[in-house]
Amino acid sequence: NLCFFGRHSMLPRHVQRLGRDWITHWNGSQILTLNSPVSSCMRWAGHYPPWASFPLPISADFSANWRFPPFFGPWRQFQNSNWHLDNYTQSCCFHLPNPSMKSEGEEPLTKKRRLSGQDDTSTPEQETNLSNQKEVSCLSVAENEEKHGSKKGTIKRHWEYFCQQSKTMKISKKKGSDQSSTGSEATFDFTVMSYNILSQNLLEDNSHLYKHCRQRLLFWTYRFPNILQEIKELDADVLCLQEVQEDHYRTEIKSSLESLGYHCEYKMRTGRKPDGCAICFKTSKFSLISSNPVEFFRRDIPLLDRDNVGLVLLLRPRFHCKANAAICIANTHLLYNPRRGDIKLTQLAMLLAEIASIAPQKDGSFCPIIICGDFNSVPGSPLYRFIKEGKLNYEGLAIGKVSGQEQFPRGQRILSIPIWPKKLGISQNCVYEIKQQQKEENAGEKLEAAKPDNPQEIVIASEKLSSKLRHHFKLSSVYSHYFPETGIPEVTTCHSRSAVTVDYIFYSAANDDTAAQPGAEDSFYGGLKLLGRLALLTEKDLWTVNGLPNENNSSDHLPLLAEFRLIER
């Protein structure tokens, strides 16, 4: 009974006051909340197709989840907590925080610092990416609201697409039509998801990261149905999953995905931690050419003492006019340790070398490449720039600055030149040494002709070259990492200690892809055109539903989803 305190005058006076204050607070906002009509227009204006709906929950059963405030606790703290209306008007709904979310005073200090300063964040990377996103999001909001209703109390992730490619694969997929087009250009549309599903073992070993969560939401028996439901709803043609626990993969995940029409390939980590990476693809869209696991641990190399892994698949699209068409899909989870950028760069070089050995075609060009994963590096960091730009001069670079994970890096040691020993068998161009030697032998006469007269110049040139990493792929990022309208960072992971972007989908862009950012200068005789992507969220959005994991989203990472068109000429 909400009037409990008012009807019992024999209660102590300070308890009666507490009751009246609480009733006033309740009547002033929450009754309005429960009895007022709520529009279906959510915070994100845009396209909400049923297959891309992504609910972030606010419990409809308010009374079941509400926790009574402590009688003798700090009542002012309760009054100042996040029980408030947010943008409540007739045309847009408000967001009621999950009752289990801590008040502002109880938030982790690191999260409070980020929230107070994130709106002022601005980087050169942001400015570059803003200019590349001019063609995004041109669908009418009103048209979508008529077609797709949205559940009350949820945050939807909307589908962003590039206007020139507004007719997406989903239409032709429902019709079951062959996507090969006639003429000089053949196309093939498909979707790719990258998703760190949070290994249960790692969750339990790092429970301090999930203090904001109710305990029952952290059990695997609760989490797995939610994760599987997300995968069903997003319905990607290719899944790149990280932190896939081996026993769960063997007993539940593999069979569940196979029942959805996927073929699964899996590589477990080589150490004690029983998780790994999986790539799963729909057999109705692709056939497997080869599966190539990559182990980053090397017993004979002290630098490579970590058990992270990668997985590289070569897939052949079905319903395609060219019999030799192929797509290279890579998936990895790089080392977390912010202070070991030397290991991160070496692991990345090993993955790129494996891709370079698998992706070449008969004409000397590379087949289209997609690299997914949790790179444990933030946008704009040296590791990120190396992937996108195809080159990195690491001379004088501190190992703690490679990934950009720490604002004030603790790893101050400068990267050695070269980073990894020669016996690894991988060159500074991120290819296996055997292939590099073959290229050098073929170009031997040209090198001899261009040889400088002064031997000292050769030594100096060699020293400068040794601190430069390169790779031969023209890669772009599916996501821009900042929202164009506000400049606020996108977030792919959110827990008690951190809310940042560390997950990516990189792809080799076709020459006419308007969404592509500048990359390496290698030429492709085709490539991938980005048609659309599932929008990410801000840290503020995620904390309105108590961060991650939550009731409907059972990992501490968001799934990334992109739609591509394969173009061959």
Side-chain angles (χ1 to χ4, degrees), residues 48-68:
Y48 304 115
W51 64 273
S53 64
F54 191 80
L56 295 176
I58 296 162
S59 177
D61 186 2
F62 182 85
S63 60
N65 293 307
W66 179 76
R67 297 179 181 180
F68 197 80

Side-chain angles (χ1 to χ4, degrees), residues 67-241:
R67 297 179 181 180
F68 197 80
F71 282 100
F72 302 102
W75 178 242
R76 179 62 54 190
Q77 181 177 333
F78 178 79
Q79 284 184 313
N80 291 334
S81 67
N82 289 323
W83 298 89
H84 63 275
L85 297 179
D86 182 10
N87 300 330
Y88 181 74
T89 66
Q90 289 185 343
S91 61
C92 70
C93 82
F94 55 86
H95 299 270
L96 181 65
N98 188 300
S100 67
M101 181 177 176
K102 298 181 180 181
S103 65
E104 186 177 352
E106 297 176 321
E107 290 171 354
L109 291 176
T110 53
K111 186 168 77 66
K112 286 181 66 180
R113 285 196 295 269
R114 286 193 312 275
L115 285 172
S116 64
Q118 70 175 354
D119 290 343
D120 297 327
T121 303
S122 180
T123 66
E125 179 70 24
Q126 169 188 345
E127 296 174 3
T128 303
N129 286 319
L130 296 186
S131 64
N132 293 323
Q133 305 306 327
K134 293 180 180 178
E135 310 247 355
V136 176
S137 303
C138 60
L139 191 64
S140 165
V141 178
E143 179 182 346
N144 268 291
E145 289 181 346
E146 293 178 5
K147 294 182 179 179
H148 308 292
S150 58
K151 297 179 182 178
K152 294 180 182 180
T154 63
I155 297 176
K156 293 276 189 176
R157 290 178 61 187
H158 69 286
W159 185 252
E160 295 178 330
Y161 63 87
F162 295 86
C163 299
Q164 294 174 346
Q165 302 293 342
S166 59
K167 301 298 181 181
T168 65
M169 179 272 296
K170 290 293 170 183
I171 300 173
S172 59
K173 187 175 180 181
K174 290 179 180 178
K175 295 179 180 178
S177 61
D178 190 330
Q179 295 176 25
S180 299
S181 61
T182 59
S184 59
E185 187 178 274
T187 62
F188 176 82
D189 296 354
F190 63 100
T191 52
V192 176
M193 176 197 292
S194 182
Y195 194 9
N196 182 327
I197 64 173
L198 181 56
S199 158
Q200 190 66 23
N201 272 34
L202 292 178
L203 183 155
E204 293 168 4
D205 289 346
N206 298 277
S207 58
H208 61 283
L209 299 178
Y210 311 104
K211 290 180 179 179
H212 63 285
C213 302
R214 283 183 286 177
Q215 192 64 31
R216 71 178 183 87
L217 303 183
L218 300 179
F219 295 126
W220 178 249
T221 51
Y222 183 92
R223 294 175 55 233
F224 178 60
N226 274 355
I227 291 170
L228 189 62
Q229 183 61 31
E230 282 182 317
I231 291 173
K232 285 180 180 178
E233 289 181 355
L234 296 178
D235 194 31
D237 298 313
V238 180
L239 307 174
C240 291
L241 307 178

Side-chain angles (χ1 to χ4, degrees), residues 47 89 131 156 183 225 380 423 428 468 473 483 522 536 556:
H47 186 30
T89 66
S131 64
K156 293 276 189 176
K423 65 179 177 180
Q428 297 285 287
K468 294 179 181 178
F473 313 122
F483 289 94
D522 296 75
L536 289 169
D556 57 350

